[in-house]
Amino acid sequence: MKLYMTEMSGNSFKVRVLAAILGVELEQVRINWEGGEHKSPSFLALNPRGQVPVMEIEDRIFWDSTAHLVYLARRFGGEDWLPSDPLDEAEVMQWMSFAQDEVQFGLQWARGVTVYDRRPDSFAGYLEDGRTALAVLERQLERTDDWLALGRATLADIACYPYVKRAPEGDLPLDDYPAVRAWLERCEALPGWFAMDP
Ligand SMILES: N[C@@H](CCC(=O)N[C@@H](CS)C(=O)NCC(=O)O)C(=O)O
């Protein structure tokens, strides 16, 4: 299995950290992000979105970290990270959708403005969605006092982690979200976890 990635990519981190937790070997191919490789014709042939991560599994190509997480969990994680019980699966998928919605279009993209000067005109909207993301997470984690779904670590936590952790870089400090901060530490204490590049 091959993962096209960069160390700075939070979406790549989700896949890398789950593979590490599961003890799955992943050939990691660091693309030349600075040189714009992700927008080159050869890379667009792999992922028409021009984004990392991309995964090559048995001669098939998949883009989007959600697809990669689901594959790894199903193939190597038994019932642990994405259970097959329909209600339990729905509970995990609800948070994975949230990771691809408010977390991405709020927290990730606010940081896209401050770090990469990407779409600065939309900053106010990203901040608003980012604050919604943090408020929803804080409320849930205050209630559960542990994990986002099912009372244990699942794909829900891995999918949400990277851009919550990096929210302060996007002008969204975590000072007012103590339950979120405690949850980040809980994730970081999982066996096999490694630190995300700053
Ligand atoms: N929903 C996608 C988002 C992927 C994404 O935003 N990747 C970033 C790096 S973390 C990227 O490649 N951005 C370049 C671009 O969008 O042009 C996923 O979860 O994989």
Side-chain angles (χ1 to χ4, degrees):
M1 269 179 308
K2 204 184 263 187
L3 183 76
Y4 296 89
M5 45 69 73
T6 69
E7 294 83 4
M8 279 297 287
S9 157
N11 289 299
S12 300
F13 178 79
K14 301 173 190 178
V15 186
R16 296 165 65 216
V17 82
L18 179 64
I21 288 170
L22 294 173
V24 172
E25 203 173 317
L26 210 51
E27 184 190 343
Q28 299 186 27
V29 180
R30 196 219 184 268
I31 68 152
N32 178 4
W33 176 273
E34 299 74 13
E37 186 183 344
H38 52 307
K39 303 298 178 191
S40 68
S42 61
F43 193 88
L44 290 172
L46 297 177
N47 181 359
R49 282 165 144 179
Q51 296 177 332
V52 286
V54 172
M55 233 174 137
E56 193 178 307
I57 310 168
E58 297 173 17
D59 294 334
R60 291 171 67 176
I61 301 291
F62 301 90
W63 38 261
D64 204 288
S65 59
T66 297
H68 308 154
L69 293 178
V70 166
Y71 173 77
L72 289 177
R74 277 274 183 270
R75 174 75 178 75
F76 302 103
E79 289 290 308
D80 290 348
W81 296 89
L82 183 66
S84 54
D85 171 82
L87 288 177
D88 288 351
E89 183 175 12
E91 190 172 325
V92 173
M93 290 308 300
Q94 162 186 287
W95 291 101
M96 295 186 75
S97 290
F98 178 74
Q100 293 291 1
D101 202 321
E102 287 89 340
V103 172
Q104 175 172 320
F105 296 120
L107 303 177
Q108 178 183 337
W109 287 30
R111 181 177 172 275
V113 177
T114 56
V115 176
Y116 300 109
D117 197 29
R118 192 177 173 192
R119 299 186 181 149
D121 294 349
S122 305
F123 193 41
Y126 300 152
L127 289 176
E128 193 180 329
D129 287 349
R131 287 193 194 99
T132 301
L134 293 175
V136 169
L137 289 167
E138 182 71 10
R139 190 170 166 175
Q140 173 72 353
L141 291 163
E142 266 175 1
R143 200 177 65 74
T144 66
D145 200 25
D146 53 16
W147 304 100
L148 287 176
L150 304 180
R152 67 174 199 265
T154 65
L155 291 191
D157 305 287
I158 292 185
C160 289
Y161 173 91
Y163 289 103
V164 176
K165 175 77 176 178
R166 287 178 172 167
E169 291 174 34
D171 271 1
L172 289 159
L174 297 178
D175 307 61
D176 294 339
Y177 305 98
V180 168
R181 293 201 311 274
W183 164 79
L184 290 173
E185 287 180 12
R186 221 170 280 131
C187 292
E188 288 156 9
L190 286 168
W193 195 274
F194 61 91
M196 185 168 57
D197 275 28

